[in-house]
Amino acid sequence: MKFSIDNPRWKGVPFYIRTGKHLTERRTEIAIHFKAAPAYPFLKEQGANPQPNWLVLRTAPDEGIFLELQVKRPGADVALATVGMDFRYDDWFADFPNVGYETLLYDVMIGDATLFMRADMVEQAWRVVQPILDAWAAEKPDFPNYASGTSGPKASDELLARGQHTWRPLTPYIPKP
């Protein structure tokens, strides 16, 4: 699904959401794909193909932050390399095993509302979602299906292609040493 935000700050910035059951990989993340920088310094260099950077906020199952960017390789030649900076909670903090909703139930018992939505947040979420539900009820949309274990329907790839974008690959996250 493609969303837009109707205010001056986000004008023209597309927001894409992909969700599904039994995709290639179970993952919850917010991936920010930056606009490509002007390639002026690299226009005359052989093989230079500057790519936009990524900022990925991973919320499950491997919580952390990943920044992928292009840098100039050391040396006299102008050659670009894609590098990553990766922070994973599991690398720095002891793993506290909890089962299912243990954290939420504990927060309820001690009165900590940090992980819960306020009423005004719930109302705003429904303000956005209800028109979609109403349209679906009126039109009975034909949702594109996809094979279990794939990265989703072809229509989702076509949606991004119309804006000259692509999805981040749904490949297993393997931290680099």
Coordinates of all heavy atoms in Angstrom, one line a residue, residues 15-92:
F15 N 5.1 6.7 1.2 CA 5.3 5.8 2.3 C 4.7 4.5 1.8 O 3.5 4.4 1.5 CB 4.6 6.3 3.6 CG 5.2 7.5 4.2 CD1 5.0 8.7 3.7 CD2 6.1 7.3 5.2 CE1 5.6 9.8 4.3 CE2 6.7 8.4 5.8 CZ 6.5 9.7 5.3
Y16 N 5.5 3.4 1.7 CA 5.0 2.1 1.3 C 5.0 1.1 2.5 O 5.9 1.1 3.3 CB 5.9 1.6 0.2 CG 6.0 2.4 -1.1 CD1 7.0 3.3 -1.3 CD2 5.0 2.3 -2.0 CE1 7.0 4.1 -2.4 CE2 5.0 3.0 -3.2 CZ 6.0 3.9 -3.4 OH 6.1 4.7 -4.5
I17 N 3.9 0.4 2.5 CA 3.8 -0.7 3.6 C 3.5 -2.0 2.9 O 2.7 -2.1 2.0 CB 2.6 -0.3 4.5 CG1 2.9 1.0 5.2 CG2 2.3 -1.4 5.5 CD1 1.7 1.5 6.1
R18 N 4.3 -3.0 3.3 CA 4.1 -4.4 2.8 C 4.0 -5.2 4.1 O 4.8 -5.2 5.0 CB 5.4 -4.8 2.1 CG 5.3 -6.3 1.7 CD 6.4 -6.7 0.8 NE 7.8 -6.4 1.2 CZ 8.9 -6.8 0.6 NH1 8.8 -7.4 -0.5 NH2 10.1 -6.4 1.1
T19 N 2.9 -6.0 4.1 CA 2.7 -6.9 5.2 C 2.0 -8.2 4.6 O 1.4 -8.2 3.5 CB 1.7 -6.3 6.2 OG1 1.6 -7.2 7.3 CG2 0.4 -5.9 5.7
G20 N 2.2 -9.3 5.3 CA 1.6 -10.5 4.8 C 1.9 -11.6 5.8 O 2.7 -11.5 6.7
K21 N 1.2 -12.7 5.6 CA 1.4 -13.9 6.4 C 2.3 -14.9 5.6 O 2.0 -15.1 4.4 CB 0.0 -14.6 6.7 CG -0.9 -13.8 7.6 CD -0.3 -13.7 9.0 CE -1.2 -13.0 9.9 NZ -0.7 -12.8 11.2
H22 N 3.3 -15.4 6.3 CA 4.2 -16.4 5.7 C 4.9 -15.9 4.5 O 4.9 -16.5 3.4 CB 3.5 -17.7 5.5 CG 4.5 -18.8 5.5 ND1 5.1 -19.4 4.4 CD2 5.1 -19.5 6.6 CE1 5.9 -20.3 4.7 NE2 5.9 -20.4 6.1
L23 N 5.5 -14.7 4.6 CA 6.4 -14.2 3.6 C 7.7 -14.9 3.7 O 7.9 -15.8 4.5 CB 6.6 -12.7 3.8 CG 5.4 -11.8 3.5 CD1 5.7 -10.4 4.0 CD2 5.0 -11.8 2.1
T24 N 8.7 -14.5 2.8 CA 10.0 -15.2 2.8 C 10.6 -15.2 4.2 O 11.2 -16.2 4.6 CB 10.9 -14.4 1.9 OG1 10.3 -14.4 0.6 CG2 12.3 -15.2 1.7
E25 N 10.4 -14.1 5.0 CA 11.0 -14.0 6.3 C 10.1 -13.2 7.2 O 9.4 -12.3 6.8 CB 12.4 -13.3 6.2 CG 13.1 -13.2 7.5 CD 14.4 -12.5 7.5 OE1 15.0 -12.3 6.4 OE2 14.9 -12.1 8.5
R26 N 10.1 -13.6 8.5 CA 9.3 -12.9 9.5 C 10.2 -11.7 9.9 O 11.3 -11.9 10.4 CB 9.0 -13.7 10.7 CG 8.2 -13.0 11.7 CD 8.0 -13.8 13.0 NE 7.5 -13.1 14.1 CZ 8.2 -12.3 14.9 NH1 9.5 -12.2 14.8 NH2 7.6 -11.6 15.8
R27 N 9.7 -10.5 9.6 CA 10.5 -9.3 10.0 C 9.6 -8.1 10.1 O 8.6 -8.0 9.4 CB 11.4 -9.0 8.8 CG 12.3 -7.8 9.0 CD 13.1 -7.4 7.8 NE 13.8 -8.5 7.2 CZ 14.4 -8.5 6.1 NH1 14.3 -7.4 5.3 NH2 15.1 -9.5 5.6
T28 N 9.9 -7.3 11.1 CA 9.2 -6.0 11.3 C 10.2 -4.9 11.3 O 11.1 -4.9 12.2 CB 8.3 -6.0 12.6 OG1 7.5 -7.1 12.6 CG2 7.6 -4.7 12.7
E29 N 10.2 -4.0 10.4 CA 11.2 -3.0 10.3 C 10.6 -1.8 9.6 O 9.6 -1.8 8.9 CB 12.4 -3.5 9.6 CG 12.2 -3.7 8.1 CD 13.5 -4.3 7.4 OE1 14.4 -4.8 8.1 OE2 13.6 -4.1 6.2
I30 N 11.2 -0.7 9.9 CA 11.0 0.6 9.1 C 12.2 0.9 8.4 O 13.3 1.1 8.9 CB 10.6 1.7 10.1 CG1 9.4 1.4 10.9 CG2 10.5 3.0 9.3 CD1 9.2 2.4 12.1
A31 N 12.1 0.9 7.0 CA 13.3 1.0 6.2 C 13.1 2.4 5.5 O 12.2 2.6 4.7 CB 13.4 -0.1 5.2
I32 N 14.1 3.3 5.7 CA 14.0 4.6 5.1 C 15.1 4.6 4.0 O 16.3 4.4 4.2 CB 14.3 5.7 6.1 CG1 13.3 5.6 7.3 CG2 14.4 7.1 5.5 CD1 13.7 6.4 8.5
H33 N 14.6 4.8 2.8 CA 15.5 4.9 1.6 C 15.7 6.3 1.2 O 14.7 6.9 0.7 CB 14.8 4.1 0.5 CG 15.8 3.7 -0.6 ND1 15.4 3.6 -1.9 CD2 17.1 3.4 -0.6 CE1 16.4 3.3 -2.7 NE2 17.4 3.1 -1.9
F34 N 16.8 6.8 1.4 CA 17.1 8.2 1.1 C 17.1 8.5 -0.4 O 17.4 7.6 -1.2 CB 18.4 8.7 1.8 CG 18.4 8.6 3.3 CD1 18.9 7.6 4.0 CD2 17.8 9.7 4.0 CE1 18.9 7.5 5.4 CE2 17.7 9.6 5.4 CZ 18.3 8.5 6.1
K35 N 16.9 9.8 -0.7 CA 17.0 10.1 -2.1 C 18.4 10.0 -2.5 O 19.4 10.2 -1.7 CB 16.5 11.6 -2.3 CG 15.0 11.8 -2.3 CD 14.7 13.2 -2.6 CE 13.2 13.4 -2.6 NZ 12.8 14.8 -3.0
A36 N 18.6 9.7 -3.8 CA 20.0 9.6 -4.3 C 20.6 11.0 -4.3 O 20.0 12.0 -4.6 CB 20.0 9.1 -5.7
A37 N 21.9 11.1 -3.9 CA 22.6 12.3 -3.9 C 23.1 12.6 -5.3 O 23.3 11.7 -6.1 CB 23.8 12.2 -3.0
P38 N 23.3 13.9 -5.7 CA 23.8 14.2 -7.0 C 25.1 13.5 -7.2 O 26.0 13.4 -6.3 CB 24.0 15.7 -7.0 CG 23.1 16.2 -5.9 CD 23.0 15.1 -4.9
A39 N 25.4 12.9 -8.3 CA 26.6 12.1 -8.6 C 27.7 12.9 -9.2 O 28.5 12.3 -9.8 CB 26.2 10.9 -9.5
Y40 N 27.7 14.2 -9.1 CA 28.6 15.0 -9.8 C 30.1 14.6 -9.6 O 30.8 14.5 -10.6 CB 28.5 16.5 -9.3 CG 27.1 17.1 -9.6 CD1 26.4 17.6 -8.5 CD2 26.5 17.0 -10.8 CE1 25.1 18.1 -8.7 CE2 25.2 17.5 -11.0 CZ 24.5 18.1 -9.9 OH 23.3 18.5 -10.1
P41 N 30.5 14.3 -8.4 CA 32.0 13.9 -8.3 C 32.3 12.6 -9.0 O 33.5 12.3 -9.2 CB 32.2 13.8 -6.8 CG 31.0 14.3 -6.1 CD 29.9 14.3 -7.1
F42 N 31.3 11.8 -9.3 CA 31.6 10.5 -9.8 C 31.2 10.3 -11.3 O 31.3 9.2 -11.8 CB 30.9 9.4 -9.0 CG 31.2 9.5 -7.5 CD1 30.3 10.0 -6.6 CD2 32.4 9.2 -7.1 CE1 30.6 10.1 -5.3 CE2 32.7 9.3 -5.7 CZ 31.8 9.8 -4.8
L43 N 30.7 11.3 -11.9 CA 30.1 11.2 -13.3 C 31.2 10.7 -14.3 O 30.8 9.9 -15.2 CB 29.6 12.6 -13.8 CG 28.2 13.0 -13.1 CD1 27.8 14.3 -13.7 CD2 27.2 12.0 -13.4
K44 N 32.4 11.1 -14.1 CA 33.4 10.7 -15.1 C 34.2 9.4 -14.7 O 35.0 8.9 -15.5 CB 34.4 11.8 -15.3 CG 33.8 13.1 -15.9 CD 34.8 14.2 -16.1 CE 34.1 15.4 -16.6 NZ 34.9 16.6 -16.7
E45 N 33.9 8.9 -13.6 CA 34.6 7.7 -13.1 C 34.0 6.4 -13.6 O 32.8 6.3 -13.7 CB 34.6 7.7 -11.5 CG 35.2 8.9 -10.9 CD 36.6 9.2 -11.3 OE1 37.4 8.2 -11.5 OE2 37.0 10.4 -11.4
Q46 N 34.9 5.5 -14.0 CA 34.5 4.2 -14.6 C 33.8 3.4 -13.5 O 34.3 3.3 -12.4 CB 35.6 3.4 -15.1 CG 36.1 3.9 -16.4 CD 35.1 3.5 -17.6 OE1 33.9 3.7 -17.4 NE2 35.7 3.0 -18.7
G47 N 32.6 2.9 -13.8 CA 32.0 2.0 -12.9 C 31.3 2.6 -11.6 O 30.8 2.0 -10.8
A48 N 31.4 4.0 -11.6 CA 30.8 4.6 -10.4 C 29.3 4.6 -10.6 O 28.8 5.0 -11.6 CB 31.3 6.1 -10.3
N49 N 28.6 4.1 -9.6 CA 27.1 4.1 -9.6 C 26.6 4.4 -8.2 O 26.2 3.4 -7.5 CB 26.7 2.7 -10.1 CG 25.2 2.6 -10.3 OD1 24.5 3.6 -10.4 ND2 24.7 1.4 -10.3
P50 N 26.6 5.6 -7.8 CA 26.2 6.0 -6.5 C 24.8 5.5 -6.2 O 23.9 5.7 -7.0 CB 26.3 7.5 -6.4 CG 27.1 7.9 -7.6 CD 27.0 6.8 -8.6
Q51 N 24.6 4.8 -5.1 CA 23.3 4.4 -4.6 C 22.8 5.1 -3.4 O 23.6 5.5 -2.6 CB 23.4 2.9 -4.3 CG 23.8 2.0 -5.5 CD 22.8 2.0 -6.6 OE1 21.6 1.8 -6.4 NE2 23.2 2.3 -7.8
P52 N 21.5 5.3 -3.3 CA 20.9 6.0 -2.1 C 21.2 5.1 -0.8 O 21.3 3.9 -0.9 CB 19.4 6.0 -2.4 CG 19.3 5.8 -3.8 CD 20.4 5.0 -4.3
N53 N 21.3 5.8 0.3 CA 21.6 5.2 1.5 C 20.3 4.7 2.2 O 19.2 5.1 1.8 CB 22.3 6.1 2.5 CG 23.6 6.6 2.0 OD1 24.3 5.9 1.2 ND2 24.0 7.8 2.3
W54 N 20.4 3.7 3.1 CA 19.3 3.2 3.8 C 19.5 3.3 5.3 O 20.6 3.2 5.9 CB 19.2 1.6 3.6 CG 18.7 1.2 2.3 CD1 19.4 0.9 1.2 CD2 17.3 1.0 1.9 NE1 18.6 0.5 0.2 CE2 17.3 0.6 0.6 CE3 16.1 1.2 2.6 CZ2 16.1 0.3 -0.1 CZ3 14.9 0.9 2.0 CH2 14.9 0.4 0.6
L55 N 18.4 3.7 6.0 CA 18.4 3.6 7.5 C 17.3 2.6 7.8 O 16.1 2.8 7.4 CB 18.1 5.0 8.1 CG 17.9 5.0 9.6 CD1 19.1 4.6 10.4 CD2 17.5 6.4 10.1
V56 N 17.6 1.6 8.5 CA 16.7 0.5 8.8 C 16.5 0.4 10.4 O 17.5 0.1 11.1 CB 17.1 -0.8 8.2 CG1 16.1 -1.9 8.5 CG2 17.3 -0.7 6.7
L57 N 15.3 0.6 10.8 CA 15.0 0.4 12.3 C 14.3 -0.9 12.4 O 13.2 -1.1 12.0 CB 14.1 1.6 12.7 CG 14.5 3.0 12.3 CD1 13.5 4.0 12.7 CD2 15.8 3.3 13.0
R58 N 15.0 -1.9 13.0 CA 14.5 -3.2 13.1 C 13.8 -3.4 14.5 O 14.4 -3.1 15.5 CB 15.6 -4.3 13.0 CG 16.2 -4.3 11.6 CD 17.2 -5.4 11.5 NE 18.1 -5.5 12.6 CZ 19.4 -5.0 12.5 NH1 19.8 -4.4 11.4 NH2 20.2 -5.1 13.5
T59 N 12.5 -3.8 14.5 CA 11.8 -3.9 15.8 C 11.6 -5.4 16.1 O 11.3 -5.7 17.3 CB 10.4 -3.2 15.7 OG1 9.6 -3.7 14.7 CG2 10.6 -1.7 15.5
A60 N 11.6 -6.3 15.2 CA 11.4 -7.7 15.5 C 11.8 -8.5 14.3 O 11.7 -8.1 13.1 CB 10.0 -8.0 15.8
P61 N 12.4 -9.6 14.4 CA 12.8 -10.3 15.7 C 14.2 -9.9 16.2 O 14.6 -10.3 17.3 CB 12.7 -11.7 15.3 CG 13.1 -11.8 13.9 CD 12.6 -10.5 13.3
D62 N 14.9 -9.1 15.4 CA 16.3 -8.8 15.7 C 16.4 -7.3 15.9 O 16.8 -6.6 15.0 CB 17.2 -9.3 14.5 CG 18.6 -9.1 14.8 OD1 19.0 -9.3 16.0 OD2 19.4 -8.8 13.9
E63 N 16.0 -6.8 17.1 CA 15.9 -5.4 17.4 C 17.3 -4.7 17.2 O 18.3 -5.2 17.7 CB 15.4 -5.2 18.8 CG 14.0 -5.7 19.0 CD 13.9 -7.2 19.3 OE1 15.0 -7.8 19.4 OE2 12.8 -7.6 19.5
G64 N 17.2 -3.5 16.5 CA 18.4 -2.8 16.3 C 18.3 -1.7 15.3 O 17.2 -1.5 14.8
I65 N 19.4 -1.1 14.9 CA 19.4 -0.1 13.9 C 20.5 -0.4 12.9 O 21.6 -0.7 13.3 CB 19.6 1.3 14.5 CG1 18.5 1.7 15.5 CG2 19.7 2.4 13.4 CD1 18.8 2.9 16.3
F66 N 20.3 -0.3 11.6 CA 21.3 -0.6 10.6 C 21.3 0.6 9.6 O 20.3 1.1 9.2 CB 20.9 -1.8 9.9 CG 21.8 -2.2 8.7 CD1 23.1 -2.6 9.0 CD2 21.4 -2.1 7.4 CE1 23.9 -3.0 8.0 CE2 22.2 -2.4 6.4 CZ 23.5 -2.8 6.6
L67 N 22.5 1.1 9.3 CA 22.7 2.1 8.4 C 23.6 1.6 7.3 O 24.7 1.1 7.5 CB 23.4 3.4 9.0 CG 23.7 4.6 8.1 CD1 22.4 5.1 7.6 CD2 24.4 5.6 8.9
E68 N 23.1 1.7 6.0 CA 23.8 1.2 4.9 C 24.1 2.4 4.0 O 23.2 3.2 3.6 CB 23.0 0.2 4.1 CG 23.7 -0.3 2.8 CD 22.9 -1.3 2.0 OE1 22.7 -2.4 2.5 OE2 22.4 -0.8 1.0
L69 N 25.4 2.7 3.8 CA 25.8 3.9 3.0 C 26.9 3.6 2.1 O 27.6 2.6 2.2 CB 26.1 5.0 3.9 CG 27.2 4.8 5.0 CD1 28.2 5.9 4.9 CD2 26.5 4.7 6.3
Q70 N 27.1 4.4 1.1 CA 28.2 4.3 0.2 C 29.3 5.3 0.6 O 29.0 6.4 0.9 CB 27.8 4.6 -1.3 CG 27.0 3.4 -1.8 CD 27.0 3.4 -3.3 OE1 26.8 4.4 -4.0 NE2 27.2 2.2 -3.9
V71 N 30.5 4.8 0.5 CA 31.7 5.5 0.8 C 32.7 5.4 -0.3 O 32.7 4.4 -1.1 CB 32.3 5.1 2.2 CG1 31.3 5.3 3.3 CG2 32.8 3.7 2.1
K72 N 33.7 6.3 -0.3 CA 34.8 6.2 -1.2 C 35.8 5.2 -0.6 O 36.2 5.4 0.5 CB 35.4 7.6 -1.5 CG 36.6 7.5 -2.4 CD 37.4 8.8 -2.4 CE 38.7 8.7 -3.2 NZ 39.7 7.8 -2.6
R73 N 36.2 4.3 -1.4 CA 37.3 3.4 -0.9 C 38.6 4.2 -0.8 O 38.8 5.1 -1.5 CB 37.5 2.3 -2.0 CG 36.4 1.3 -2.1 CD 36.8 0.2 -3.1 NE 35.7 -0.8 -3.3 CZ 35.5 -1.8 -2.5 NH1 36.3 -2.1 -1.5 NH2 34.5 -2.6 -2.8
P74 N 39.4 3.8 0.2 CA 40.6 4.5 0.4 C 41.6 4.3 -0.8 O 41.5 3.3 -1.5 CB 41.3 3.8 1.6 CG 40.1 3.2 2.4 CD 39.1 2.8 1.3
G75 N 42.3 5.3 -1.1 CA 43.3 5.2 -2.2 C 43.0 6.3 -3.2 O 42.1 7.2 -3.1
A76 N 43.9 6.4 -4.2 CA 43.9 7.4 -5.2 C 42.7 7.3 -6.2 O 42.2 8.3 -6.7 CB 45.2 7.4 -6.0
D77 N 42.3 6.1 -6.5 CA 41.2 5.8 -7.4 C 39.9 6.2 -6.7 O 39.7 6.0 -5.5 CB 41.1 4.4 -7.9 CG 42.3 4.0 -8.7 OD1 42.9 4.9 -9.3 OD2 42.6 2.8 -8.8
V78 N 38.9 6.7 -7.6 CA 37.6 7.0 -7.0 C 36.8 5.7 -7.3 O 36.4 5.4 -8.4 CB 37.0 8.2 -7.7 CG1 35.6 8.4 -7.2 CG2 37.8 9.4 -7.5
A79 N 36.6 5.0 -6.2 CA 35.8 3.8 -6.3 C 34.9 3.7 -5.0 O 35.3 4.1 -3.9 CB 36.7 2.5 -6.3
L80 N 33.6 3.4 -5.3 CA 32.7 3.4 -4.2 C 32.5 2.0 -3.6 O 32.6 1.0 -4.3 CB 31.3 3.9 -4.7 CG 31.3 5.3 -5.3 CD1 29.9 5.6 -5.8 CD2 31.8 6.3 -4.3
A81 N 32.2 1.9 -2.3 CA 31.9 0.7 -1.6 C 30.6 0.9 -0.8 O 30.4 2.0 -0.2 CB 33.0 0.2 -0.8
T82 N 29.8 -0.1 -0.7 CA 28.6 -0.1 0.2 C 29.1 -0.7 1.5 O 29.6 -1.8 1.5 CB 27.5 -0.9 -0.4 OG1 27.1 -0.3 -1.7 CG2 26.3 -0.8 0.5
V83 N 28.9 0.0 2.6 CA 29.2 -0.4 3.9 C 28.0 -0.3 4.8 O 27.1 0.4 4.5 CB 30.4 0.4 4.5 CG1 31.7 0.2 3.6 CG2 30.1 1.8 4.7
G84 N 28.1 -1.0 5.9 CA 27.0 -1.0 6.9 C 27.5 -0.7 8.3 O 28.6 -1.2 8.7
M85 N 26.7 0.0 9.0 CA 26.9 0.2 10.5 C 25.7 -0.4 11.2 O 24.6 -0.1 10.8 CB 27.1 1.7 10.8 CG 28.3 2.3 10.1 SD 28.6 4.0 10.5 CE 27.2 4.7 11.3
D86 N 26.0 -1.3 12.1 CA 24.9 -2.1 12.6 C 24.9 -2.1 14.2 O 26.0 -2.4 14.8 CB 25.1 -3.6 12.1 CG 23.8 -4.4 12.3 OD1 22.8 -3.9 12.6 OD2 23.9 -5.6 12.1
F87 N 23.8 -1.8 14.8 CA 23.7 -1.9 16.2 C 22.6 -2.9 16.5 O 21.5 -2.8 15.9 CB 23.3 -0.6 16.9 CG 22.7 -0.7 18.3 CD1 23.6 -1.0 19.3 CD2 21.4 -0.7 18.5 CE1 23.1 -1.2 20.6 CE2 20.9 -0.8 19.8 CZ 21.8 -1.1 20.9
R88 N 22.9 -4.0 17.2 CA 21.9 -5.0 17.6 C 21.8 -5.0 19.2 O 22.9 -5.2 19.8 CB 22.3 -6.3 17.1 CG 22.3 -6.4 15.6 CD 22.9 -7.7 15.1 NE 23.1 -8.7 16.2 CZ 22.7 -10.0 16.2 NH1 22.0 -10.4 15.2 NH2 22.9 -10.8 17.2
Y89 N 20.6 -5.0 19.7 CA 20.5 -5.0 21.2 C 21.1 -6.3 21.7 O 21.8 -6.2 22.8 CB 19.0 -5.0 21.5 CG 18.5 -3.6 21.6 CD1 17.9 -2.9 20.5 CD2 18.6 -2.8 22.8 CE1 17.4 -1.7 20.6 CE2 18.1 -1.5 22.9 CZ 17.5 -0.9 21.8 OH 17.1 0.3 21.8
D90 N 21.0 -7.4 21.1 CA 21.5 -8.6 21.6 C 23.0 -8.6 21.7 O 23.6 -9.4 22.5 CB 21.1 -9.8 20.7 CG 19.6 -10.2 20.8 OD1 19.0 -9.6 21.7 OD2 19.1 -10.9 20.0
D91 N 23.7 -7.8 21.0 CA 25.2 -7.7 21.1 C 25.6 -7.0 22.3 O 26.8 -7.1 22.7 CB 25.7 -7.0 19.9 CG 25.6 -7.8 18.6 OD1 25.3 -9.1 18.7 OD2 25.7 -7.2 17.5
W92 N 24.7 -6.2 22.9 CA 25.1 -5.3 24.0 C 24.4 -5.6 25.3 O 24.9 -5.2 26.4 CB 24.9 -3.8 23.6 CG 25.9 -3.4 22.6 CD1 25.7 -3.5 21.2 CD2 27.2 -3.0 22.7 NE1 26.8 -3.1 20.5 CE2 27.8 -2.8 21.4 CE3 28.0 -2.8 23.8 CZ2 29.1 -2.3 21.2 CZ3 29.3 -2.3 23.6 CH2 29.8 -2.1 22.4

